Amino acid sequence: MIFENISMALRSIAGNKLRTFLTMLGIIIGVGAVVAINSLGQGLKQVVTQEVSNLGADVLVITSGKTGISSSSSGSKAGGGGGGGGGGFASSLGTSTLTEQDITTVQNDSHVSVVAPLSLISGIVERGTTQDPSALIMATSPDFLKADPSEKLGSGRFLTAADNDSYVAVIGSDTSNTLFGSGTNAIGKTVTLRGHSFTVVGVLASSQASQGGSSFGATSSLDDIALIPTNTAKTLTGSTLQIYRILAQAKSKDDVQPAVNDLTNEIKANHGGQDDFSVLTQQDILNTFNTIFDALTGAISAIAGISLLVGGIGIMNIMLVSVTERTREIGLRKALGATSGMVLSQFLIEAVVLTVIGGMLGVAFAYGLGHAVGHFAKLTPVFTVGTIATATIISAVIGIVFGIAPAIKASRMKPIDALRYE
């Protein structure tokens, strides 16, 4: 009986191709949009996961302000450092809470092998009359590349201990292209920072070439930057530097959590018990991005899912029209012995077949849409069996929900009245 009803449904659909396609359009668009959004979200998560892996599982980032995502929360409890000043996201804004004493604390920790502080310097990077106003100016130590293994040197050399009081700089690839032109060797040339001339001794590899994240976040890069020695930066500003963040590398993966616990308690003691900082591992950063992506994907999918409701209403409407058009057919079937249940199942299965076909076309549409958007966004959409199966099930459910009313209407028709219908 089921196969017979499916066969009848396919014949009915084939008999009104244009009307059927227009009816399914809402389902196609809805399913396609939801599946495409989810596949692109999964693709973006995959990219972030890869970049975080490139950054290194043993890398720690100490930031100003309590982000609410760090391992320091569990570390504080484990180390007996819970409580304190709290903080919240607002405490991460404005003046940095990190100090020179915190740098010394990180350097002295037995679980840490490399430390590199980062300080933001205001100013514009210039070469003659050419400026790069979007470039960051940051002060750091010679161990920066060790503390952030995702960053690679493209040409020249990095800062050394001998450069501590020298006017030298390492610039990003975009900064080099903006100031000196694409393909030009910037090594040995000079740039101007806050009225002082700095000799370019190195250029960082572009983020596309290094294929990694950075200490600024899983999807950030240092392509547009100028890095200068910390002592030289103090001379420029004439004051103590504000520490933007401290990068550290644990001696091994097994040292990561002990380092988090130690640094959480020790830096908290430096701050008089105030919990106004965060000690982040790469897993913390990854979890944060995944949470954000999941929330955004869910919200956008919910909006796109509204078209499924519209498509369901279209299915109900066309099924009601179909029931009216086939009134005499229903009467004839009942007169020949078909029960109300048979008639109900016939029209209900027809609605389900209609929506399932629409769902399958929607998946095909999502595949094309996902790869088209992914081409421009430079990411590969990830289509999972679970997502496709869910789309098919949702399509079938829509067919049942919106097809039940027309099916009930058909099943309740009286044979005599149906046969008299003109």
Side-chain angles (χ1 to χ4, degrees):
M1 179 63 72
I2 292 178
F3 293 107
E4 182 183 346
N5 285 336
I6 292 175
S7 178
M8 291 173 62
L10 291 174
R11 286 198 300 271
S12 175
I13 290 171
N16 298 278
K17 294 183 180 65
L18 180 59
R19 187 174 75 176
T20 298
F21 175 74
L22 294 176
T23 302
M24 291 191 299
L25 201 55
I27 302 296
I28 294 171
I29 294 173
V31 170
V34 172
V35 173
I37 290 167
N38 277 276
S39 66
L40 289 168
Q42 291 297 321
L44 190 55
K45 286 172 68 174
Q46 191 175 71
V47 170
V48 171
T49 300
Q50 181 60 46
E51 292 190 348
V52 170
S53 298
N54 292 337
L55 186 54
D58 53 356
V59 173
L60 303 175
V61 181
I62 298 93
T63 66
S64 175
K66 196 67 178 175
T67 63
I69 63 169
S70 72
S71 296
S72 60
S73 299
S74 58
S76 296
K77 294 175 183 177
F89 176 72
S91 64
S92 66
L93 303 177
T95 304
S96 173
T97 60
L98 299 177
T99 65
E100 296 279 352
Q101 186 181 8
D102 297 333
I103 298 175
T104 303
T105 295
V106 179
Q107 290 172 334
N108 293 336
D109 190 272
S110 60
H111 299 286
V112 173
S113 60
V114 176
V115 179
L118 286 166
S119 299
L120 280 169
I121 312 297
S122 62
I124 296 177
V125 185
E126 302 172 306
R127 174 182 169 267
T129 58
T130 304
Q131 296 183 338
D132 186 3
S134 62
L136 289 172
I137 305 174
M138 302 199 78
T140 190
S141 72
D143 287 330
F144 172 76
L145 291 184
K146 296 179 182 178
D148 188 352
S150 66
E151 296 299 333
K152 308 294 181 183
L153 199 61
S155 60
R157 64 173 179 84
F158 199 70
L159 306 176
T160 66
D163 296 323
N164 279 346
D165 297 299
S166 302
Y167 286 83
V168 295
V170 174
I171 62 177
S173 57
D174 285 354
T175 306
S176 176
N177 293 337
T178 300
L179 297 180
F180 301 103
S182 179
T184 302
N185 184 10
I187 306 301
K189 295 181 170 59
T190 60
V191 296
T192 303
L193 307 176
R194 296 180 64 135
H196 294 267
S197 293
F198 283 74
T199 301
V200 177
V201 296
V203 178
L204 296 174
S206 69
S207 59
Q208 292 182 348
S210 61
Q211 292 296 312
S214 77
S215 57
F216 286 69
T219 57
S220 300
S221 70
L222 302 185
D223 290 342
D224 208 1
I225 197 169
L227 296 167
I228 62 177
T230 299
N231 285 353
T232 305
K234 290 179 181 178
T235 302
L236 287 183
T237 60
S239 61
T240 303
L241 300 177
Q242 276 203 53
I243 301 165
Y244 170 65
R245 57 181 56 178
I246 304 170
L247 305 182
Q249 189 174 51
K251 292 181 177 178
S252 69
K253 291 181 181 179
D254 294 335
D255 286 294
V256 171
Q257 194 55 49
V260 170
N261 295 340
D262 289 350
L263 295 178
T264 297
N265 292 328
E266 292 169 7
I267 296 177
K268 189 173 181 179
N270 292 347
H271 294 198
Q274 292 295 308
D275 213 3
D276 53 1
F277 64 95
S278 297
V279 182
L280 306 176
T281 66
Q282 297 318 303
Q283 188 58 47
D284 294 325
I285 296 173
L286 179 60
N287 290 341
T288 303
F289 274 94
N290 284 344
T291 300
I292 294 171
F293 291 152
D294 288 342
L296 288 175
T297 301
I300 298 173
S301 295
I303 295 172
I306 294 174
S307 61
L308 288 173
L309 177 62
V310 176
I313 294 172
I315 295 294
M316 179 185 288
N317 180 59
I318 204 65
M319 289 305 298
L320 288 170
V321 171
S322 181
V323 169
T324 302
E325 289 178 345
R326 294 156 66 185
T327 298
R328 290 181 63 83
E329 174 193 329
I330 296 168
L332 184 59
R333 286 200 66 197
K334 282 200 165 188
L336 293 175
T339 64
S340 295
M342 291 178 180
V343 175
L344 186 143
S345 64
Q346 174 191 345
F347 283 88
L348 190 58
I349 288 174
E350 185 172 323
V352 171
V353 169
L354 197 62
T355 53
V356 169
I357 293 175
M360 294 170 65
L361 292 175
V363 171
F365 170 63
Y367 186 83
L369 179 63
H371 281 281
V373 175
H375 174 73
F376 293 103
K378 300 190 185 320
L379 60 89
T380 303
V382 178
F383 293 90
T384 63
V385 175
T387 302
I388 295 173
T390 301
T392 304
I393 292 171
I394 290 174
S395 300
V397 170
I398 290 173
I400 294 172
V401 171
F402 289 93
I404 190 69
I408 290 174
K409 178 182 178 182
S411 69
R412 289 179 175 175
M413 285 187 179
K414 295 179 181 180
I416 295 178
D417 293 337
L419 288 170
R420 287 176 179 174
Y421 184 81
E422 295 295 336

